[in-house]
Amino acid sequence: MEVPSEEREPPNGSYRVTNIELDGFKLDLPNDHWLPQIRNQLPDYGENIGRLAAAVEGKYPGRGFIDVGANVGDTAAIVRAHSNLPILCIEGSEFFFELLKENIRQLKGEIEVECTLVDSASAERKGSLSVEYGTASFHTDSNDGTSRRFARLDSILARHPRFQSSKILKIDTDGMDGRILAGALEWISVARPVLFWEHDIGRDAAAGGPGLDIFERLLEIGYRTGVVFDNTGEFIQAVSLDARQQLADLSDYLPGGEQFYGYCDVCAFHEEDLDLCSLVRRMELERRRGRRDSGPKPLNEPLFRALVQAQFEVHGAQLDQSIRRCLKDELQGINAQTHFDHFRQQLRIADLETQVSSKDAEVHRLHVMLRELLVELLVERNAKNRREQMLHEAALNELRGQLTNAREEGELMRREIDSSFALRAAKAAGWILGPLRRLLGRSSTGGRS
């Protein structure tokens, strides 16, 4: 048995389980599963697959029923209520698989289970499996690098040889149905089972499925007719698989239709089972005509709105509590982050204040050092100036003394000269000789004066 890797958790977080009474069986299912509300509005929902199993068992007793996308075992319970066919339940979600194993314990007869995701090829695919509202779907837009292991249907059947000759293959995988059919065509061409799958052209395109080409490929291996049901299980019509225009128009209508809401169920029959196709068509017509006046009406817009409204009413309080709890957790996280940021800012401010105080102390110390240096320079300069001034004053005083001495010596010399006898005699001679020189001078010049 292959067990897939961890899948995305289902919503609501609580994993609470409720239960539903279904055709005499009590099934456990997640509390957000839509099946209880749908069955409340449409008591016959899903019973068409049980009636189909009964018709096939009438022609092929003891052959197997393969349920791909078994979910919590609701289809298996309906099939077991209508027939004793052996059942192989294949479910890719571990979450649903655990409930499935518990639910099928009360079902009699041969039942085997497999926890595997099914695709057109056995390979690893990047993406994740999301679980919500009673269904699981694979998403390839996962950015966390996760991947899931897928297997082809024939490789799964190799581990369950009892079901190699099964006569019903039912597929409900929210978009992967076309891919699974395309990958199983080799086994289908040999076993020729009645095929029952969810035909959703929009989800098929999103999953990279074969689209309308699946009808061409089924024609090539001998499938000729089909019975179409709307999404509530109500019979619409029988159709030939080579009615390309009719199938194309139906597929184009489904995504935007006012009645089918995106998909229908197609039940295709091999050419060797055209009698089964006629039988199923006749049974569905008789059933519809018999309950038309007394039974519940097919799902239309008002009923669909009522169904959705009932779902919201049931889960509204829980959704409100979940939102409040998420908002409370988010607010607590924001508050804690705010307190942390505030504390960190306070530490940062305290650190900056310490750094500023240290810088202020350093600036003050430098100012003191600068003042001391300036005082030392000023004192040194004043001392130097005083020394130079004293030297200059000493020199000046010396010069002044020399000048005074010179003056005094000159004065003494003049006094000595004035008092000298020879000098006085010389001066007296000068007084006498002077007039004589002038007289002699006039005689030598001819008497001119």
Side-chain angles (χ1 to χ4, degrees):
M1 178 185 299
E2 296 183 15
V3 178
S5 58
E6 183 180 358
E7 66 193 48
R8 191 183 307 166
E9 294 181 353
N12 300 329
S14 60
Y15 300 97
R16 287 180 296 177
V17 174
T18 184
N19 56 68
I20 182 176
E21 191 77 24
L22 187 65
D23 288 2
F25 303 104
K26 180 176 286 188
L27 305 182
D28 290 334
L29 63 166
N31 62 345
D32 70 331
H33 207 293
W34 279 16
L35 184 59
Q37 285 72 41
I38 294 175
R39 290 283 293 200
N40 182 56
Q41 295 289 329
L42 302 166
D44 200 45
Y45 178 81
E47 295 296 326
N48 55 337
I49 192 70
R51 293 188 293 270
L52 174 65
V56 172
E57 185 181 32
K59 184 175 181 179
Y60 301 105
R63 306 289 281 271
F65 181 102
I66 301 173
D67 183 5
V68 180
N71 203 266
V72 298
D74 51 304
T75 297
I78 293 174
V79 169
R80 180 56 74 240
H82 289 79
S83 75
N84 292 313
L85 292 176
I87 304 173
L88 172 60
C89 296
I90 304 173
E91 173 55 44
S93 164
E94 287 182 304
F95 178 71
F96 290 135
F97 186 72
E98 293 302 316
L99 293 170
L100 169 67
K101 289 191 298 183
E102 293 300 319
N103 288 332
I104 64 173
R105 293 179 186 275
Q106 58 189 303
L107 306 184
K108 305 298 183 181
E110 294 184 66
I111 299 181
E112 297 182 19
V113 294
E114 175 91 13
C115 187
T116 305
L117 289 168
V118 190
D119 196 3
S120 57
S122 297
E124 292 277 343
R125 292 185 63 188
K126 292 183 177 180
S128 61
L129 194 68
S130 65
V131 178
E132 58 182 354
Y133 303 118
T135 186
S137 56
F138 183 75
H139 299 277
T140 58
D141 57 353
S142 176
N143 296 321
D144 56 5
T146 60
S147 62
R148 300 301 300 263
R149 178 70 182 175
F150 287 79
R152 280 167 53 106
L153 181 61
D154 54 3
S155 66
I156 297 174
L157 294 178
R159 295 191 290 272
H160 301 273
R162 170 70 179 82
F163 293 89
Q164 290 279 7
S165 60
S166 296
K167 273 300 179 178
I168 302 182
L169 171 60
K170 168 261 178 183
I171 307 174
D172 182 358
T173 58
D174 284 353
M176 297 287 290
D177 302 48
R179 291 174 62 100
I180 294 171
L181 283 173
L185 286 175
E186 184 176 352
W187 172 78
I188 291 172
S189 66
V190 176
R192 300 171 183 175
V194 176
L195 304 175
F196 188 97
W197 77 94
E198 187 179 272
H199 179 57
D200 186 331
I201 199 68
R203 287 185 174 180
D204 180 87
L212 293 174
D213 288 344
I214 192 62
F215 295 110
E216 293 287 341
R217 300 172 74 173
L218 290 174
L219 276 169
E220 293 173 359
I221 59 175
Y223 282 79
R224 295 290 177 262
T225 61
V227 173
V228 181
F229 299 89
D230 69 17
N231 65 328
T232 71
E234 183 69 25
F235 171 72
I236 299 177
Q237 66 177 34
V239 62
S240 174
L241 297 189
D242 62 358
R244 296 176 179 84
Q245 188 64 58
Q246 186 177 0
L247 291 170
D249 290 346
L250 178 61
S251 298
D252 182 71
Y253 171 74
L254 290 176
E258 294 295 326
Q259 184 174 358
F260 302 129
Y261 304 104
Y263 72 92
C264 63
D265 291 321
V266 176
C267 183
F269 297 84
H270 192 269
E271 59 187 359
E272 65 184 21
D273 289 325
L274 296 182
D275 56 334
L276 276 178
C277 180
S278 298
L279 174 61
V280 170
R281 174 181 176 276
R282 185 170 63 254
M283 286 193 309
E284 294 300 320
L285 284 173
E286 291 174 355
R287 171 189 154 275
R288 182 168 64 191
R289 291 165 181 167
R291 66 174 179 79
R292 179 165 290 166
D293 295 331
S294 58
K297 296 180 179 180
L299 185 63
N300 51 29
E301 182 70 16
L303 284 176
F304 180 77
R305 290 184 180 275
L307 175 62
V308 174
Q309 183 63 34
Q311 179 70 21
F312 279 121
E313 290 176 357
V314 170
H315 298 288
Q318 181 179 348
L319 180 61
D320 181 68
Q321 291 177 359
S322 298
I323 293 174
R324 290 177 182 274
R325 186 164 53 249
C326 291
L327 290 176
K328 182 179 179 181
D329 293 342
E330 184 71 19
L331 289 174
Q332 287 178 346
I334 294 173
N335 190 33
Q337 184 65 38
T338 301
H339 283 300
F340 176 74
D341 291 341
H342 180 66
F343 177 70
R344 185 172 56 184
Q345 291 296 331
Q346 286 180 331
L347 291 178
R348 176 62 176 165
I349 291 171
D351 184 54
L352 290 175
E353 288 177 346
T354 302
Q355 294 180 17
V356 169
S357 299
S358 177
K359 289 296 181 183
D360 289 342
E362 184 178 356
V363 169
H364 178 71
R365 182 175 59 82
L366 292 175
H367 281 166
V368 172
M369 292 176 61
L370 181 60
R371 285 196 300 269
E372 292 176 350
L373 179 61
L374 290 175
V375 169
E376 290 178 0
L377 291 175
L378 183 59
V379 170
E380 183 179 354
R381 178 174 152 189
N382 290 338
K384 182 178 180 181
N385 290 339
R386 282 196 299 273
R387 286 196 298 271
E388 291 179 354
Q389 184 177 2
M390 291 173 64
L391 291 174
H392 291 163
E393 289 179 354
L396 183 60
N397 290 335
E398 184 178 357
L399 289 176
R400 286 175 179 169
Q402 292 177 1
L403 180 59
T404 301
N405 292 335
R407 286 177 179 173
E408 291 177 350
E409 290 175 357
E411 190 65 31
L412 289 174
M413 291 176 67
R414 279 193 296 271
R415 284 196 300 268
E416 288 178 1
I417 290 173
D418 289 340
S419 62
S420 173
F421 174 78
L423 182 57
R424 286 194 301 268
K427 284 184 178 180
W431 295 338
I432 297 172
L433 291 178
L436 290 178
R437 284 191 187 104
R438 284 191 297 272
L439 180 60
L440 289 176
R442 288 191 194 102
S443 297
S444 63
T445 57
R448 290 180 298 172
S449 56

